[in-house]
Amino acid sequence: MQGLSKHTGWFPVVLRMQGTRVLIVGGGNIAASKAHLLVSTGARVEVLSASLCSELERMVVDGAVHHVAQDTCVQDLRLRLAGCRLVYLATNDRDLNRDIAAVCKAQNVPVCAVDDPAISTFITPALVTRGKVQIAISTGGTAPVLARRLRTMVERILPEGLHHLANFMSAMRNELRQQIPDTSARRQLWERFLDGKGAQAALVGDMAEATRKLQELQTDNTVCGEVWLVGAGPGNPDLLTLAALRLMQDADVVLYDNLVSPEILNYVRRDAERVFVGKKRNRHTLPQENINHELIRRAQAGQRVLRLKGGDPFIFGRGGEELEALAKANVPFRIVPGISAANGCAAYAGIPLTHRDCAQACLFITGHARADGTLMLAWNTIALKNQTVVIYMGLTMLGQLCAQLIAHGLPENWPAAVVEKGTLPEQRVCEGTLATLPALVADWQIKSPALVIVGEVVRHRVISPRN
Ligand code: SAH
């Protein structure tokens, strides 16, 4: 299938349009909507068609577009095409469109037949415009409905007043370039500006305050970076928070470990440095102190350091330890919570964590064994009915865990489940009881990461009828 080829086949660029000639062939509503789009770029728009819809007629009367009132004759087109920056074909005659497209191609004039990417040499992306800021979304002409949906999503996350901010930055650009010739120093200044009150002022159009803030930043040349401790959720990028996404786009460097999937890392700014600090294949983990030291060293050198962790950083994530070290070293930090494995896995497996009938509490525990291979847990508070027990890192010790829960009073047929690679497309849910689960898990060859959920809620598992 062409769509699955590893090449996109299309490359988005931004064309200079002011004062250039554009030809639209066709006089209906589609031609009118293209004419609107093109007039707003400052291009000189000519519409070639024997008749015009009322909207185009109005545009002609207003002097916004020039009307060439004649039937389209392929032979006569050659001259008219010469020097056109773009040609749009918006007639409803596909054969005619194809013939004109061939002439355009022969003359090397870019041509777009509306709704017919196969004969076009360019396509029009879905556009989000805020003043000079333009975001173009293309699906290579294959899924325009999807492109429009994405446009709505982008519209929603863009702040109001973005055009003010863009205008301000554009107005200050030359001045700043002269004052700070070093590109990366300039970039850092702008990044700090965007993070601070100056950008907020610009967004609401308060240019005087924005200018003051920018000047303040220029005189305050203490280099100090920051560490952002961010939860990346259980693996599925859909579960990233907006705050996580924003910081992933802003960071200079990201320190991440095993649970952070490649799909998630894709959302980190492309030119940010990536440092893996998790368990290596030889099972050797970078000691926590080294990680703390690295975070501090980089922040003190002025970097914006993203410490990206699976799930939530404060749940079995050693986030607390890292922040203590930062606070001690006087390094500023921010923390962004993430969806923890318990929430993500439970939701994607359809197992509620509490239930009015059978689980009035939910306990998160770690099944990680101590150095001597044993589990030190308060079994009497764990092996209780009327609660759900979620066990992180419980796969290796699953046999012992189940045996202890039975030994401390839970019935052998007490429901229990394991969710493997929860929230990801390859998620598997293995349901059983305390007596049967270890053998089932071995049988299914369940691998880490996997989360154990124990309690009657497992019996209340719900699966949507259409899935
Ligand atoms: N801070 C993380 C937990 C880190 S401990 C959080 O809040 O989720 C690592 C354990 O989390 C794994 O051993 C596993 O038990 C669980 N886990 C993390 N992601 C998981 C996933 N996608 N599916 C199943 N379990 C997961």
Side-chain angles (χ1 to χ4, degrees):
M1 258 170 81
Q2 192 198 359
L4 295 179
S5 128
K6 69 179 166 40
H7 299 125
T8 58
W10 299 96
F11 184 58
V13 292
V14 182
L15 290 180
R16 186 181 294 281
M17 296 302 289
Q18 184 74 42
T20 62
R21 264 183 67 224
V22 173
L23 181 66
I24 299 176
V25 185
N29 288 330
I30 294 176
S33 82
K34 293 294 177 238
H36 272 297
L37 207 57
L38 290 156
V39 165
S40 73
T41 67
R44 285 185 292 133
V45 180
E46 289 171 22
V47 178
L48 174 62
S49 174
S51 61
L52 295 182
C53 66
S54 57
E55 183 61 15
L56 276 171
E57 261 172 12
R58 197 183 55 77
M59 293 179 82
V60 172
V61 172
D62 290 350
V65 302
H66 174 66
H67 183 202
V68 184
Q70 61 185 50
D71 275 326
T72 315
C73 165
V74 178
Q75 264 64 40
D76 295 347
L77 263 178
R78 288 190 171 72
L79 266 184
R80 194 167 292 287
L81 289 175
C84 276
R85 169 110 332 156
L86 300 174
V87 174
Y88 274 93
L89 306 180
T91 78
N92 44 21
D93 179 343
R94 283 179 91 88
D95 292 337
L96 179 63
N97 283 352
R98 192 169 350 94
D99 292 344
I100 307 176
V103 180
C104 292
K105 285 177 205 170
Q107 289 187 227
N108 268 329
V109 177
V111 59
C112 170
V114 177
D115 269 345
D116 200 349
I119 61 166
S120 303
T121 60
F122 77 94
I123 48 181
T124 318
L127 270 180
V128 182
T129 307
R130 295 278 193 286
K132 287 195 180 125
V133 180
Q134 291 181 299
I135 300 172
I137 300 162
S138 162
T139 55
T142 54
V145 179
L146 176 62
R148 282 198 286 274
R149 177 67 65 90
L150 293 172
R151 174 175 60 193
T152 314
M153 289 163 77
V154 173
E155 292 270 13
R156 232 177 299 162
I157 58 172
L158 290 183
E160 286 290 322
L162 190 60
H163 56 291
H164 291 311
L165 179 58
N167 286 344
F168 176 77
M169 293 179 73
S170 146
M172 301 306 282
R173 192 163 176 230
N174 279 337
E175 199 177 309
L176 219 59
R177 187 178 281 165
Q178 276 155 19
Q179 287 164 2
I180 311 174
D182 178 59
T183 319
S184 97
R186 218 166 46 235
R187 186 171 76 80
Q188 284 205 5
L189 178 73
W190 275 130
E191 300 275 10
R192 280 199 291 151
F193 172 80
L194 285 175
D195 280 340
K197 296 234 162 65
Q200 285 165 21
L203 281 172
V204 296
D206 186 350
M207 299 310 170
E209 177 66 6
T211 311
R212 243 191 322 276
K213 288 289 170 204
L214 186 64
Q215 281 160 354
E216 261 175 44
L217 285 178
Q218 273 176 275
T219 45
D220 164 24
N221 44 19
T222 45
V223 210
C224 190
E226 217 180 353
V227 175
W228 304 326
L229 178 64
V230 174
N236 190 324
D238 279 354
L239 299 179
L240 284 169
T241 61
L242 290 178
L245 201 57
R246 195 162 50 79
L247 296 179
M248 287 163 85
Q249 284 296 312
D250 285 351
D252 296 314
V253 54
V254 49
L255 276 74
Y256 67 99
D257 37 41
N258 299 57
L259 282 175
V260 179
S261 61
E263 290 82 355
I264 295 228
L265 280 179
N266 265 340
Y267 287 84
V268 173
R269 191 163 63 88
R270 223 174 310 161
D271 47 354
E273 186 186 344
R274 290 159 163 74
V275 183
F276 178 68
V277 294
K279 250 183 211 163
K280 298 266 159 50
R281 218 163 306 168
N282 62 11
R283 315 297 289 164
H284 185 74
T285 316
L286 201 64
Q288 187 61 50
E289 270 156 42
N290 295 17
I291 299 178
N292 297 352
H293 181 257
E294 193 60 11
L295 293 172
I296 293 167
R297 184 184 71 77
R298 285 173 177 273
Q300 284 176 342
Q303 289 191 318
R304 284 149 326 142
V305 186
L306 175 69
R307 175 67 174 115
L308 198 58
K309 286 184 175 274
D312 180 84
F314 277 0
I315 294 184
F316 305 123
R318 296 195 175 186
E321 293 169 44
E322 291 178 12
L323 294 192
E324 273 175 315
L326 295 173
K328 219 159 135 196
N330 216 13
V331 169
F333 58 79
R334 278 191 248 177
I335 165 143
V336 176
I339 292 185
S340 190
N343 300 101
C345 294
Y348 278 61
I351 300 172
L353 287 177
T354 64
H355 196 290
R356 271 198 300 171
D357 296 340
C358 60
Q360 283 78 41
C362 177
L363 212 56
F364 292 178
I365 67 170
T366 164
H368 193 63
R370 295 187 311 167
D372 64 2
T374 61
L375 287 165
M376 255 285 280
L377 290 165
W379 295 110
N380 290 332
T381 60
I382 297 169
L384 293 178
K385 294 186 174 174
N386 292 312
Q387 72 177 8
T388 304
V389 181
V390 177
I391 309 169
Y392 288 72
M393 296 169 277
L395 198 59
T396 324
M397 302 295 284
L398 187 64
Q400 262 200 53
L401 280 161
C402 292
Q404 288 284 5
L405 290 172
I406 294 168
H408 286 83
L410 287 178
E412 288 199 350
N413 66 354
W414 194 246
V418 167
V419 183
E420 178 193 49
K421 299 201 170 51
T423 76
L424 295 169
E426 43 305 1
Q427 166 178 296
R428 290 194 294 170
V429 183
C430 178
E431 275 179 70
T433 64
L434 288 179
T436 63
L437 197 62
L440 276 174
V441 159
D443 204 33
W444 285 35
Q445 302 189 352
I446 298 273
K447 303 251 163 25
S448 183
L451 192 82
V452 186
I453 303 178
V454 179
E456 283 187 297
V457 287
V458 171
R459 278 206 200 107
H460 288 276
R461 180 172 181 210
V462 282
I463 295 171
S464 164
R466 289 236 228 137
N467 284 339

